[in-house]
Every structure is written in C-alpha cells, then in structure tokens.
Amino acid sequence: MSKKKFTHVSSSGLPQMVNVSDKKVTQRIAKAQAIIRVSDAILNLIQHDELITKKGPVFQTAIIAGVMGAKRTADLIPFCHPIGLEDCQVKIAVTGKKIVINTEAVITAKTGVEMEALTAASIAALTVYDMCKALSHDIVIEEIKLMEKSGGKKDFKRS
C-alpha cells in the first residue's frame, strides 16, 4: 500500500505548486457549504428570503461577494492555480436559526475547483457577518465544508 503524501510539499520538504501539466482536461465540479448561526434579533428581520440592513440587502450582497471571492481564489491561497471559472453559483437559505450558504463552481480544466467553491462559501459567510455585526455580534460561522467534487482522479460526496 502506498503512503499518501502532501501534494504541496516537495520530496525535500519545501512548499511547491502541484504540476498539473500531465493531467487530463475534464469537466470539474465542486460544491461547498457554509453554515452561520445567528441571533433571533437578526432572524426576525428576514422577510421574503432577504435580510435588509443599513448596509443594504445582505443575501444579495453575499452572493455577489461569494462569486467575486471564487474568482480571486488564486490571489488568496498561495498554491491555487489561477483558473478561468466557467460558472459559480451561490445560494442562500434560512433553515431554523441558521443561514445556509451552498456554492457550486465549474470548470473544464486540468485542475479542480474545490478551493473556489470553498472560497465562495467562506467569503459569502464573512459578508453576512460583516453586514449583520451592527445588529448583533452573536453570529457564529459554524462550519465551511466541501460537500462534493467530481471530474478529477477521485470523486467525493459527503454523506
């Protein structure tokens, strides 16, 4: 059985970008999710699937920020390949006392889009926090996680 190795660490232990030149071009899709727990004070302001604050429409702004973040992932994460995203979707829903952000990133390329989907979810969640903090600091970004990915060497789907 082969021992798994970190792909971003060279054989001499130095940080490195992964060489994708020999990989096949395939359609790659990744989905991520962020979950934010908010106070009743914030929840009570949500009307018609939107939360309006003095800073503006929170969910609409978070959707735009999430897509912008996905497009800038390579500028934020040192070894991410700069890629031309073909699609990035951000959807926001309220479930109980939580705001759930689901993202999907798509590309046809030699490298995947997991980091772009995760960045979209992260930036959208941080935008919700930023726009709501004047109402309450009782906001917790509980988790950000990859939900599924396909098109590379190994597919993944969270159960």
Side-chain angles (χ1 to χ4, degrees):
M1 184 158 101
S2 67
K3 185 178 175 186
K4 290 191 176 213
K5 296 183 231 170
F6 287 108
T7 56
H8 290 84
V9 178
S10 72
S11 58
S12 58
L14 298 173
Q16 69 178 6
M17 182 180 245
V18 174
N19 183 347
V20 297
S21 60
D22 290 335
K23 289 186 173 188
K24 286 197 290 188
V25 172
T26 59
Q27 184 183 53
R28 294 160 186 259
I29 300 170
K31 297 179 182 182
Q33 183 178 81
I35 298 175
I36 309 164
R37 184 173 26 90
V38 295
S39 67
D40 288 336
I42 293 170
L43 286 172
N44 292 336
L45 295 175
I46 297 171
Q47 295 179 5
H48 309 293
D49 298 322
E50 181 55 278
L51 172 57
I52 306 292
T53 68
K54 288 181 181 179
K55 291 185 174 185
V58 174
F59 297 164
Q60 291 176 42
T61 304
I63 289 167
I64 294 167
V67 172
M68 289 175 68
K71 291 171 23 177
R72 300 292 305 267
T73 300
D75 294 332
L76 300 168
I77 310 295
F79 294 125
C80 281
H81 293 84
I83 60 173
L85 277 177
E86 293 169 356
D87 190 24
C88 182
Q89 298 295 318
V90 178
K91 294 185 173 35
I92 301 176
V94 178
T95 306
K97 292 189 175 215
K98 296 181 181 185
I99 297 169
V100 180
I101 300 167
N102 286 294
T103 66
E104 179 178 279
V106 180
I107 192 167
T108 304
K110 294 180 174 192
T111 188
V113 286
E114 302 98 281
M115 294 309 299
E116 286 74 13
L118 287 161
T119 299
S122 301
I123 297 299
L126 289 168
T127 300
V128 170
Y129 186 99
D130 178 56
M131 293 185 76
C132 293
K133 69 183 185 233
L135 303 170
S136 171
H137 280 92
D138 190 16
I139 304 167
V140 177
I141 299 172
E142 290 187 339
E143 61 183 354
I144 298 165
K145 61 189 174 189
L146 180 68
M147 298 304 290
E148 62 183 273
K149 74 173 205 76
S150 63
K153 262 197 269 185
K154 290 185 253 171
D155 289 350
F156 168 81
K157 185 168 177 120
R158 189 169 301 283
S159 50

